[in-house]
Amino acid sequence: MPTSLRTLWNDITDGSVRQRLITVLRDAIIHMTLEPGQALSEKEIADTFDVSRQPVREAFIRLSEAGLVEVRPQRGTFVVPISEAAVLEAQFIREAIEVAVVRACAEHGLSEAMARELDDLLVRQRRCQATGDSERFYALDEAFHHTLARAAGHNMAWRITQDAKAQLDRVRYLSMPNTTPLEILIDQHTAIIEAISSADIVGAERMMRAHMREILKSLPNVKAHYPALFDDEAQKTFATIGAGHDQENVG
């Protein structure tokens, strides 16, 4: 397995072995370290992370439920192509939750600690824009939205969003920075915080809705740039690999 997976594993110390595996593999799929059609070996992953095969098997099942891998009996486990339909469904769910979160923030206001945390995230995001570090920006973007959910007192809403948006996250990652300039996303984040700080509920909802729909503008361009990663083209490779791959890591 790529060294980057082992590095990520070492960086994640919280949670059970199963949860750490889910996090590492999910991030690797979203960041295209593991690409659509790629076979995942239960034994190889277990050996790489020096864990038993049982939590690896459980992680595969959880990733399958999130729509990121397919466990094929007698064939193996494979990273699935990006599904445009799943991306649109995830965007719909995420928008509904994020708009409700930002409404709660605007209604009740932000604590001084949360306001400082969000302002700090904006500063760090602008540094990423200046250096062109889209990889780091993606992590800070996640932190921004998670912080809003915590500020609203709805951390469970964030966890639900995480479960729903796995397919969407691959497109979000691919869209930055060429398809969706980081400057646009940072300006939208800034406008959202300004609306919350002004107790402008309607404005906060409007800005968040526009922010959530930015990915719909990017999706056609991402698909045009990476056609092999989406359903039609990737499924051809996926089917070919799967048809010739012996049972290795299931059961």
Side-chain angles (χ1 to χ4, degrees), residues 36-37 70 72 78-83 227-243:
E70 181 178 352
R72 306 178 72 176
F78 302 86
V79 180
V80 301
I82 299 173
S83 163
L229 301 180
F230 282 78
D231 282 292
D232 294 341
E233 292 302 317
Q235 191 63 46
K236 297 174 185 176
T237 302
F238 180 58
T240 300
I241 294 174

Side-chain angles (χ1 to χ4, degrees), residues 21-64:
L21 285 168
I22 292 170
T23 300
V24 169
L25 295 174
R26 184 185 191 278
D27 287 354
I29 292 171
I30 288 169
H31 291 75
M32 296 297 157
T33 301
L34 301 173
E35 295 187 354
Q38 186 167 341
L40 302 181
S41 165
E42 183 179 295
K43 181 180 184 301
E44 188 177 349
I45 290 175
D47 290 345
T48 296
F49 300 132
D50 194 24
V51 300
S52 69
R53 294 176 66 165
Q54 181 60 32
V56 176
R57 187 177 298 115
E58 292 172 354
F60 283 174
I61 292 171
R62 185 66 189 84
L63 293 169
S64 175

Side-chain angles (χ1 to χ4, degrees), residues 81-92:
I82 299 173
S83 163
E84 184 172 356
V87 169
L88 296 175
E89 182 73 9
Q91 189 280 331
F92 178 85

Side-chain angles (χ1 to χ4, degrees), residues 85-101:
V87 169
L88 296 175
E89 182 73 9
Q91 189 280 331
F92 178 85
I93 294 170
R94 187 185 187 211
E95 180 179 320
I97 293 175
E98 294 270 9
V99 169
V101 163

Side-chain angles (χ1 to χ4, degrees), residues 99 101-110 118-119 122 144 148 186-209 211:
V99 169
V101 163
V102 82
R103 178 182 180 86
C105 288
E107 285 178 337
H108 304 296
L110 299 171
L118 288 164
D119 286 342
L122 289 176
F144 178 84
L148 285 176
I186 296 170
D187 286 347
Q188 291 172 343
H189 286 172
T190 302
I192 289 167
I193 296 306
E194 289 175 350
I196 291 173
S197 299
S198 301
D200 181 359
I201 296 172
V202 173
E205 288 184 324
R206 183 178 66 251
M207 287 309 307
M208 180 59 82
R209 188 168 285 109
H211 182 54

